[in-house]
Amino acid sequence: MERIILHIDMDCFFAQIEERENPQFKGRPLVVGSDPKGGSGRGVVSTANYIARKYGIHSALPISQAFRLCPEAVFLPVNFGLYERVSENIFGILRKYSERVETVSLDEAYLDLSYLNGFKEGEKVAREIKNEILEKEKLTSTIGLGSNKAIAKIAVNQAKPNGLKVVLPEEAEAFLNHLEVEEIPGIGPKKVEELEKRGIRKVSELKELGREKLRELFGKAGETIYGRIRGKDEEEVSLKNIIKSLGREHTFEKDTRDPEIIFKVFDGIVEYIWEELGKKNLSFKTLTVVCRYQGFETHTRSLTLKEKERNFRIFKRESKKMLLKFLISSPKLIRLIGLRVICLEK
Ligand code: TTP
Ligand code: MG
């Protein structure tokens, strides 16, 4: 059966909420993130509004660099609680339009609209969703519509900001052929580089590689990529109830390798996240530890449990094991550590 999949992603989410709350900053470049401290701050940018992006400022850029690029920008701290409340309101609106809603992050979701009668109706619903969010929350969003999740997501990336893009099933193949390989979800920067060495830039060129070659290049994911670039992506809009990911990071005032300092900070992070899980009555399923070494080289390690879990000892033990591996595997000084958790309903 032909599916109608909608992907929605809010535009510069944290920054747009701050603009709404602080109308006096309208029209100015605005950056949400850690304190730039006049250029000596050591954290990163969470996000920037589209005016600030013109200066080259983007998510995950060191805040000191953002300050250098545009010292006159408005710099605001992250008010996570507020963004979470707004996110819940938005998801509430989305759930009126489909029983199948998969929330991917605070500002992003997939809806299965296959119950509708064709893409014309799908487009109408997409407009209604955009309008309702704008009316109720005063926020703009971007929506992509396609016959699977990958196409819907690519459509969103192309239509940003405040856009709506529909890729009809009969247009899908031509649409995909024209893309650069990095536009395909699942093909990261490292793979893009490898492919480029083989002279492959466009999806149409990638299609010339057979199944076997793709499996060699991408491992297990090769099969998924093989289908995806041909417009076949069977992945369902999941009802797994991944509610959200919770995370916290810490940038040390000075790069360090002192285990006492590092583990003291990490214990604080572990306890903070555990408390948040408790307050929201959530279980955890995936733990990701982030470690950024001196010079900004950033690595992550993840553990996904077979079953969702609610045991603090496991939570703490597994997180610390991953952090320890970072300490052992490199002699470099550490700049930042963090922990992110994918949570599920109890
Ligand atoms: P995104 O949807 O990736 O970005 P965005 O909504 O700010 O901008 P866009 O219009 O391109 O969608 O992420 C949603 C929010 O998540 C973002 O507003 C801030 C937060 N975030 C971070 O804190 N750090 C990050 O590195 C990224 C990518 C996002
Ligand atoms: Mg967004």
Side-chain angles (χ1 to χ4, degrees):
M1 195 197 78
E2 185 154 281
R3 295 187 299 158
I4 304 173
I5 306 297
L6 178 149
H7 181 58
I8 180 165
D9 188 302
M10 301 302 295
D11 303 324
C12 58
F13 189 49
F14 295 2
Q16 211 193 152
I17 296 173
E18 293 297 348
E19 284 176 339
R20 179 187 84 179
E21 301 295 304
N22 307 282
Q24 72 273 25
F25 298 141
K26 210 173 161 48
R28 291 184 57 187
L30 186 147
V31 179
V32 179
S34 54
D35 186 349
K37 297 186 181 161
S40 67
R42 287 170 51 88
V44 292
V45 172
S46 278
T47 195
N49 69 0
Y50 278 80
I51 306 173
R53 289 182 195 194
K54 288 197 194 134
Y55 294 82
I57 300 174
H58 57 80
S59 294
L61 188 76
I63 199 79
S64 55
Q65 230 165 300
F67 187 82
R68 252 173 276 139
L69 287 168
C70 186
E72 66 274 22
V74 178
F75 287 88
L76 295 174
V78 179
N79 183 354
F80 207 73
L82 168 64
Y83 315 147
E84 266 185 336
R85 287 196 296 281
V86 176
S87 171
E88 272 159 32
N89 295 343
I90 292 167
F91 293 158
I93 293 173
L94 297 180
R95 292 203 173 90
K96 295 199 302 195
Y97 292 89
S98 173
E99 286 177 355
R100 269 192 116 71
V101 177
E102 176 182 345
T103 58
V104 185
S105 70
L106 278 189
D107 86 324
E108 198 186 336
Y110 291 96
L111 274 67
D112 194 329
L113 298 179
S114 306
Y115 70 90
L116 294 173
N117 209 349
F119 274 74
K120 265 260 160 328
E121 273 188 24
E123 185 168 346
K124 210 170 124 229
V125 166
R127 280 190 204 289
E128 279 172 33
I129 291 175
K130 271 172 70 75
N131 285 339
E132 187 167 345
I133 295 173
L134 186 62
E135 244 167 58
K136 296 212 168 117
E137 289 298 321
K138 310 281 176 250
L139 295 171
T140 67
S141 56
T142 297
I143 291 183
L145 217 54
S147 48
N148 64 48
K149 285 166 81 173
I151 292 175
K153 185 169 175 71
I154 299 164
V156 160
N157 293 339
Q158 292 193 351
K160 263 188 175 295
N162 196 12
L164 167 60
K165 184 169 174 75
V166 181
V167 180
L168 297 173
E170 59 268 28
E171 299 165 347
E173 201 176 345
F175 171 76
L176 290 163
N177 278 339
H178 286 104
L179 300 177
E180 311 274 319
V181 289
E182 65 250 42
E183 293 181 80
I184 301 292
I187 305 188
K190 276 197 196 127
K191 294 291 172 202
V192 171
E193 230 174 81
E194 275 177 47
L195 291 170
E196 195 160 352
K197 281 189 198 134
R198 293 162 188 258
I200 297 170
R201 288 221 177 84
K202 286 249 180 309
V203 166
S204 52
E205 294 161 348
L206 186 58
K207 275 164 94 175
E208 286 167 23
L209 298 188
R211 263 206 166 85
E212 277 310 308
K213 205 85 210 140
L214 280 179
R215 212 171 295 152
E216 234 172 72
L217 273 168
F218 291 95
K220 254 195 269 167
E223 195 59 35
T224 313
I225 305 269
Y226 182 88
R228 205 165 267 175
I229 57 180
R230 287 168 174 77
K232 289 190 194 72
D233 181 18
E234 308 296 332
E235 197 183 295
E236 298 247 3
V237 174
S238 150
L239 289 177
K240 271 181 298 184
N241 287 324
I242 289 184
I243 305 230
K244 52 174 66 85
S245 74
L246 281 173
R248 183 161 246 207
E249 297 182 337
H250 178 87
T251 307
F252 296 106
E253 281 303 321
K254 266 178 69 185
D255 298 341
T256 179
R257 271 194 73 75
D258 183 341
E260 207 174 309
I261 296 176
I262 292 171
F263 277 102
K264 186 162 170 241
V265 166
F266 196 69
D267 281 344
I269 293 177
V270 166
E271 262 153 44
Y272 166 81
I273 293 182
W274 185 253
E275 243 173 61
E276 289 297 303
L277 286 173
K279 270 190 229 160
K280 299 184 168 107
N281 209 12
L282 300 172
S283 307
F284 60 95
K285 172 97 175 149
T286 301
L287 303 173
T288 304
V289 174
V290 188
C291 178
R292 178 168 295 147
Y293 296 107
Q294 192 170 38
F296 234 74
E297 178 190 333
T298 308
H299 296 266
T300 59
R301 273 176 208 273
S302 278
L303 170 76
T304 297
L305 304 167
K306 282 209 181 65
E307 296 287 332
K308 59 186 177 185
E309 186 52 74
R310 280 173 76 78
N311 181 322
F312 180 63
R313 279 179 46 213
I314 295 177
F315 181 70
K316 189 164 177 169
R317 187 186 65 212
E318 296 304 325
S319 308
K320 286 178 100 160
K321 258 203 243 167
M322 287 191 275
L323 179 65
L324 188 61
K325 281 190 191 150
F326 280 121
L327 272 165
I328 296 168
S329 65
S330 167
K332 288 184 196 141
L333 291 174
I334 291 175
R335 177 187 173 99
L336 167 149
I337 53 170
L339 176 63
R340 243 191 335 263
V341 189
I342 296 212
C343 327
L344 295 138
E345 268 169 349
K346 190 179 159 193

